[in-house]
Amino acid sequence: MTEFMSAAVRALEKAGAGFGDVRTEDRTAFVVRVANEQIQNVNEVRRRGWGLRAFVDGAWGYASGTSGRSADAVQAARKAVAIARRGSAAGVPTSKLRKMPSTAITLEPKVRIEPRDVAGEEKVAAAMEVCRAERRDEVANTNASYADSDWRFELANTWGACLQWREVRIRIAGQAVAGEGDRRESAFDFRDGTAGWELVKALDLAEFGRGLAQEAVEMLRAAKPPAGLMPVVTDPGVSGLLAHEVMGHASEGDEIVKRRSFLTDQVGKKVGSALVSMYDDGTYPGAHGSIPFDAEGTPAHKTTVIDRGIYRGFLHSLETSGVLKARPTGNGRAQDFGRRVWVRMTNTYFGAGRDKKDEIVEETKAGVLTRKWISGMEDPVGGSFQAVTQSGFRIVKGEVGERVRGMTLTGDALSILKSVDRVSKEIALDGGTCGKGEEDYVPVAAGGPFMRCKIVVGGG
Amino acid sequence: MRRAQSEGADAAEAYAITFTSQSVYIEDDVPKVAEERSETGLGVRAARAKRVAFSATTLASPADVRSAVGAAIAGLRRVPEDPDFSGLPTEAGKGEVRGAWDGATATTDTAGLLDAAKTFTDAVRQSKATSVPKAIFRIQDYTFRVANSNGIVANHRGTLVFAYLTAKCGSKGKFGEGILKAMNTSIRPIDFAAHGATVARRAAENLRARAFKGKLPGVAVLDPLDLGEVFLTTVGSAVNGEDVHKGRSPWAGKVGADVASAGVTVRDRPRMPGGLASGVADDEGNATQDRTLPEAGRLKGFFADRKHAALLGVPAGNGYRRAVATVEGAYTRPAETEPSNLVVEPGRKSLEALLAEVDSGVYVEKFAAPEVNPLSGSFAMEVRNATLIKKGELADHVKVALLTGNFYEGLKNVVGVGRDLTPSHAFVMAPGCAYVPPMAFDGFELVGQS
């Protein structure tokens, strides 16, 4: 442990923290953005700092900074304890944390080709190749981006933990915008994960770009989506959005403690059809939301949230596992060193079924098949959700029909999951970032199989 | 900047920002978490002929300046030329905008935020069975300086207050929630008691709301908070000079054409007193000035950063990196074309008067997420707080429904513009702020289960 870390921990103890920890972060990133085959930005960014937190009689105080001086950490520790005491005096009920065994571990990521070992020119060329491949007459605007990040963490706490780890992520993305008169339609896609340059090497960049252009052009001819409650075959990305937005946020332990979740009293109860199983797994190899430890130093974990339709449990931080008397699940995460810890998901997905995607479509008389997600919004209190897709297709008499524009899906979460009657063998996960409400973004992934269920659909 | 030039850059720009931040998080009516943070960072842009590279670093020691400059200079060797690069700004905005920084707010500590939180929480709890499951109160005091090798120096100091407010009511597994955001450059004008009453009412109405059945075409009256976000992502993109230059904007080539109803005028107002994004200089140092965008429905022009202003032949002044809910991370990205304060000119009608004119429609106070496709304008947004309007009166509260339509078409069918502006923002890290009144649109459709 560095002198800085040990000074911080000693100061937290001396100032009277019931529990305290210090986490340092050193984050580097390399970002390339190109548009219309011209370079827009090549950015090299380093952001680092530390955050301390103190737990006093149920209240938390946080203080953070960027200097490397031990004296500043000592001062911040005193400040964090004073802030926590102020909260405690304001009436925060006393609670206890779930104590974790003290460990000293250093973990390195499983990356085959370190992005830092790849020349910047190669990264620029990769983005440019995607952008170039998007070019065709009907496409008004071509875009591509590349980003890698290398985050180093060190964590020590008053229980004796001393951890070091790295997280390496990579992402390549493209967007083609097709134009006809005033009309603009686009197609966007990406590949990402906790991986190295091998992820880019494995991708046929030109094919990736051409596919986007083709899809954007097809979107110009896409019809308005149908509206109302109907059978929907969700693709793996949209299934993941349902897992994440519908059930994942509502399973976050802090929402349960506050009774701000419609799942608060649902453990052991049926929440979906027997075909529905759901997991949050921070150990999922290569997925964008995978982490060695959460921001509290708890090792990542695979948590079964739904087992064959039966709701099994929640995701936890040290505090919620203490309050709810459960095992920590490695879901205490923070956006960065200056932000508080919340209970957050990692990689959230529905488990595979036994059907083939084509069979699911063939057995659907009328409905829609979704095509890629754009965004989602949770409603842990009310149990509804909003999921926005990039596009989709009508299903008519068991066949995939005309393409339709982006749709929004909504409905009552439990009604939707109970309506699931087909689940495919194949599953996939997509990465992204997730906010708690609308702030505190952390890297996550979500996914699942093709699933058929009944959802309210609409689109403009 | 000097170091970058000594290491081989023809031109260089340095942007340094420092901020302190105080936050209080309410959970279950009590201040569960409080934070204090500070951060200083530097962004360096170096150029050699048509090559441009950017690097950024947290400033923790003098060595960080050297490493940031070194990274930018090294970047020049690996980037292709940008044929559109036309140099760095040559004239800086000087002075300050009244109300961008508030001394009393800057000196408010977590104890002061706790008082605001208590006022809000007490107001929420005046309603029976209503509580505050989650609320965030944050103040930031920030200063930035941008300088470049053309000799310009611009400074700006600001304060930002951001509150994310929720209330929950109900029992026995049936709950309703109300959500609201409040933003200002000063904490004093924010009426936390009134906001408490509003979210408590929304929670109660959300609890009483029933799933909407069928389809309802008609007039939609939209609350300004979410509507502002829609304006930022649609109009803010359509008049964005970068999007226009790249061929992404649906309003490219439409200057002089009618893009909205005659009652719709939108301006970018970077010098609006007390504006969240206000400043005499943008984040490149360019002097800012008001831009008229659609005026009485007719498109007048676009806004742009230095690079795209030169390409489009419009004045520069809209190169931004700082957001208005938080300036965190502002130094980690170069300035890009963004709106400052995107202001919809208010009308004369109160919200009540707007609603009274609607024969059949829906009043939406809160969407799940107000997302509209900025390229096509199409949308389908889940309503979280919505009330049917029948013959000018508010009727049933509804949920599990989507408001669908096309926003660019909706702008041509505006049937009412309210008088009271509310500030809002889009993605938390995205620059730009909207000041929008409540507005009534014809031609949207509410879709529920059928």
Side-chain angles (χ1 to χ4, degrees):
Chain A
M1 192 189 306
T2 62
E3 169 53 28
F4 179 87
M5 302 292 279
S6 55
V9 170
R10 281 197 307 272
L12 284 164
E13 288 170 330
K14 191 176 173 186
F19 166 81
D21 60 19
V22 54
R23 191 177 73 254
T24 65
E25 297 179 3
D26 191 346
R27 301 180 176 208
T28 58
F30 188 89
V31 180
V32 178
R33 200 164 65 88
V34 296
N36 295 344
E37 297 169 58
Q38 286 184 24
I39 200 79
Q40 302 299 303
N41 302 123
V42 177
N43 305 343
E44 201 164 336
V45 178
R46 184 180 187 196
R47 193 166 183 216
R48 67 191 198 281
W50 43 266
L52 289 124
R53 59 181 189 153
F55 187 70
V56 179
D57 296 333
W60 290 97
Y62 282 66
S64 62
T66 55
S67 91
R69 291 185 294 271
S70 298
D72 291 337
V74 169
Q75 193 179 357
R78 291 181 190 137
K79 190 185 289 181
V81 172
I83 293 170
R85 285 210 171 103
R86 204 177 286 153
S88 177
V92 177
T94 303
S95 60
K96 285 187 177 177
L97 306 180
R98 172 68 180 255
K99 188 170 182 180
M100 293 289 287
S102 61
T103 49
I105 300 174
T106 298
L107 285 181
E108 284 289 313
K110 291 173 183 168
V111 173
R112 288 205 289 278
I113 306 172
E114 290 276 2
R116 66 188 174 204
D117 295 337
V118 178
E121 292 87 331
E122 253 189 280
K123 298 170 183 177
V124 171
M128 199 62 88
E129 185 173 351
V130 172
C131 196
R132 192 175 299 121
E134 293 169 17
R135 182 176 44 180
R136 56 188 274 183
D137 288 346
E138 307 94 319
V139 171
N141 168 228
T142 58
N143 303 274
S145 63
Y146 166 89
D148 61 52
S149 64
D150 188 337
W151 297 353
R152 293 164 186 269
F153 299 89
E154 190 174 0
L155 182 143
N157 66 28
T158 54
W159 293 338
C162 180
L163 307 170
Q164 291 179 307
W165 73 95
R166 276 176 69 212
E167 297 173 16
V168 174
R169 291 185 176 81
I170 198 162
R171 174 184 173 97
I172 188 157
Q175 185 197 36
V177 180
E180 189 176 65
D182 296 345
R183 183 124 182 247
R184 297 287 182 276
E185 295 287 352
S186 67
F188 170 75
D189 202 359
F190 61 90
R191 300 287 184 275
D192 67 3
T194 44
W197 181 251
E198 65 273 10
L199 183 143
V200 176
K201 275 187 82 173
L203 184 64
D204 184 333
L205 298 170
E207 182 58 33
F208 180 67
R210 282 194 295 271
L212 288 168
Q214 175 64 27
E215 191 160 354
V217 171
E218 287 177 17
M219 285 293 291
L220 288 172
R221 309 275 172 268
K224 183 178 178 179
L229 181 69
M230 67 189 69
V232 177
V233 178
T234 56
D235 66 283
V238 173
S239 297
L241 208 54
L242 299 184
H244 181 99
E245 304 293 352
V246 172
M247 301 301 283
H249 277 291
S251 297
E252 292 167 338
D254 50 350
E255 309 291 14
I256 304 299
V257 170
K258 290 182 284 194
R259 300 188 70 81
R260 189 177 173 252
S261 167
F262 70 99
L263 295 172
T264 301
D265 298 314
Q266 295 292 319
V267 174
K269 295 182 181 173
K270 184 177 172 64
V271 294
S273 82
L275 299 173
V276 176
S277 292
M278 187 185 129
Y279 312 94
D280 182 83
D281 186 0
T283 69
Y284 199 103
H288 194 246
S290 295
I291 47 174
F293 301 98
D294 68 7
E296 301 186 296
T298 305
H301 185 73
K302 180 176 180 179
T303 304
T304 300
V305 178
I306 303 172
D307 182 16
R308 287 165 291 179
I310 307 299
Y311 191 66
R312 289 300 179 202
F314 312 122
L315 311 178
H316 289 294
S317 63
L318 294 177
E319 182 170 19
T320 65
S321 55
V323 172
L324 298 171
K325 299 187 180 358
R327 181 180 154 190
T329 56
N331 291 91
R333 305 183 67 188
Q335 176 179 287
D336 58 45
F337 61 88
R339 288 271 182 163
R340 61 164 294 187
V341 169
W342 298 93
V343 180
R344 311 301 305 275
M345 286 171 269
T346 56
N347 305 301
T348 313
Y349 59 97
F350 289 119
R354 294 181 177 176
D355 300 315
K356 291 180 181 172
K357 173 209 165 188
D358 292 345
E359 292 169 355
I360 298 173
V361 172
E362 283 167 18
E363 292 177 15
T364 304
K365 287 181 182 171
V368 291
L369 167 66
T370 64
R371 165 85 178 141
K372 291 193 185 301
W373 62 277
I374 290 181
S375 65
M377 180 54 79
E378 76 275 18
D379 178 17
V381 174
S384 69
F385 71 101
Q386 170 174 298
V388 183
T389 77
Q390 195 169 126
S391 68
F393 300 91
R394 278 183 181 272
I395 300 175
V396 182
K397 294 179 182 173
E399 293 191 353
V400 175
E402 68 176 335
R403 186 184 281 271
V404 294
R405 295 194 292 267
M407 297 172 276
T408 301
L409 316 178
T410 190
D412 170 68
L414 299 187
S415 300
I416 291 167
L417 292 190
K418 286 174 183 171
S419 75
V420 172
D421 63 356
R422 289 285 185 277
V423 177
S424 78
K425 293 175 184 176
E426 55 271 65
I427 73 167
L429 271 68
D430 275 344
T433 56
C434 166
K436 185 93 165 179
E438 55 177 53
E439 294 200 324
D440 293 287
Y441 283 82
V442 295
V444 296
F450 289 90
M451 296 167 62
R452 188 174 70 180
C453 47
K454 284 191 173 174
I455 309 180
V456 175
V457 173
Chain B
M1 205 172 65
R2 286 193 297 271
R3 188 173 190 92
Q5 287 186 289
S6 72
E7 292 187 10
D10 295 341
E13 172 196 83
Y15 173 89
I17 184 166
T18 185
F19 72 89
T20 58
S21 183
Q22 326 279 334
S23 305
V24 167
Y25 297 80
I26 301 297
E27 294 185 14
D28 272 346
D29 300 331
V30 293
K32 182 75 181 171
V33 175
E35 283 173 358
E36 288 189 24
R37 73 178 295 182
S38 61
E39 189 172 346
T40 302
L42 172 72
V44 176
R45 186 160 55 148
R48 187 184 301 139
K50 291 282 187 182
R51 294 176 198 274
V52 186
F54 176 85
S55 83
T57 183
T58 307
L59 277 180
S61 73
D64 292 324
V65 177
R66 292 192 290 276
S67 67
V69 171
I73 297 296
L76 289 174
R77 290 193 293 273
R78 64 173 77 103
V79 297
E81 289 189 345
D82 176 359
D84 293 338
F85 178 66
S86 55
L88 299 172
T90 53
E91 283 185 53
K94 302 285 184 191
E96 59 185 36
V97 174
R98 181 167 51 85
W101 182 81
D102 178 65
T105 301
T107 53
T108 301
D109 60 7
T110 50
L113 280 181
L114 284 171
D115 290 342
K118 186 170 187 313
T119 302
F120 169 74
T121 306
D122 287 349
V124 169
R125 297 192 66 187
Q126 284 190 1
S127 301
K128 195 179 173 187
T130 306
S131 63
V132 180
K134 175 181 173 182
I136 301 170
F137 299 82
R138 182 172 63 231
I139 286 173
Q140 286 187 341
D141 177 14
Y142 70 95
T143 304
F144 77 79
R145 169 173 290 185
V146 59
N148 72 33
S149 51
N150 291 331
I152 76 154
V153 179
N155 300 292
H156 176 76
R157 186 172 190 187
T159 42
L160 300 174
V161 183
F162 174 80
Y164 179 85
L165 309 166
T166 75
K168 181 188 80 173
C169 73
S171 62
K172 297 179 182 173
K174 296 276 185 196
F175 294 99
E177 188 173 52
I179 298 176
L180 188 65
K181 286 185 288 187
M183 305 169 73
N184 206 303
T185 56
S186 168
I187 193 167
R188 285 171 298 186
I190 300 178
D191 188 341
F192 286 106
H195 289 327
T198 299
V199 288
R201 173 183 57 78
R202 288 186 181 184
E205 291 176 357
N206 179 248
L207 180 63
R208 290 203 301 273
R210 298 200 172 168
F212 179 70
K213 310 276 186 191
K215 298 175 184 176
L216 177 68
V219 173
V221 179
L222 305 185
D223 182 81
L225 193 64
D226 279 357
L227 180 59
E229 189 168 341
V230 170
F231 262 90
L232 281 168
T233 53
T234 54
V235 175
S237 170
V239 296
N240 181 310
E242 179 176 347
D243 288 345
V244 171
H245 171 67
K246 288 177 179 168
R248 297 168 61 88
S249 165
W251 289 357
K254 287 198 160 186
V255 172
D258 291 332
V259 294
S261 298
V264 178
T265 293
V266 185
R267 293 189 172 87
D268 189 70
R269 296 188 55 200
R271 299 195 177 200
M272 184 172 75
L276 282 152
S278 289
V280 294
D282 68 4
D283 293 351
E284 291 185 295
N286 296 299
T288 57
Q289 60 180 277
D290 281 7
R291 301 266 186 280
T292 299
L293 304 161
E295 184 176 51
R298 186 157 295 174
L299 185 62
K300 295 292 184 182
F302 309 114
F303 56 70
D305 63 0
R306 159 88 184 178
K307 172 176 161 179
H308 294 94
L311 292 166
L312 296 174
V314 301
N318 282 79
Y320 288 100
R321 11 190 158 204
R322 69 199 139 98
V324 297
T326 174
V327 296
E328 291 163 76
Y331 65 87
T332 63
R333 45 190 179 260
E336 293 183 345
T337 302
E338 300 283 0
S340 61
N341 303 302
L342 195 69
V343 182
V344 174
E345 193 164 283
R348 293 180 179 173
K349 291 175 184 166
S350 65
L351 172 63
E352 291 72 23
L354 278 184
L355 295 169
E357 291 177 350
V358 179
D359 185 55
S360 173
V362 62
Y363 170 47
V364 184
E365 285 189 88
K366 182 79 185 76
F367 292 104
E371 292 181 355
V372 175
N373 184 325
L375 300 170
S376 67
S378 66
F379 68 85
M381 300 183 283
E382 185 206 347
V383 300
R384 290 276 165 91
N385 277 104
T387 308
L388 300 180
I389 312 168
K390 291 178 182 171
K391 298 194 183 307
E393 300 279 338
L394 290 173
D396 301 331
H397 306 299
V398 295
K399 60 184 174 185
V400 194
L402 299 169
L403 186 72
T404 69
N406 184 293
F407 192 72
Y408 291 123
E409 291 303 314
L411 280 173
K412 295 174 183 170
N413 293 290
V414 173
V415 292
V417 180
R419 69 183 179 202
D420 300 315
L421 297 176
T422 298
S424 61
H425 70 126
F427 178 66
V428 66
M429 295 294 183
C433 183
Y435 287 82
V436 172
M439 294 174 68
F441 299 84
D442 199 5
F444 298 159
E445 184 176 52
L446 190 69
V447 175
Q449 300 181 42
S450 56

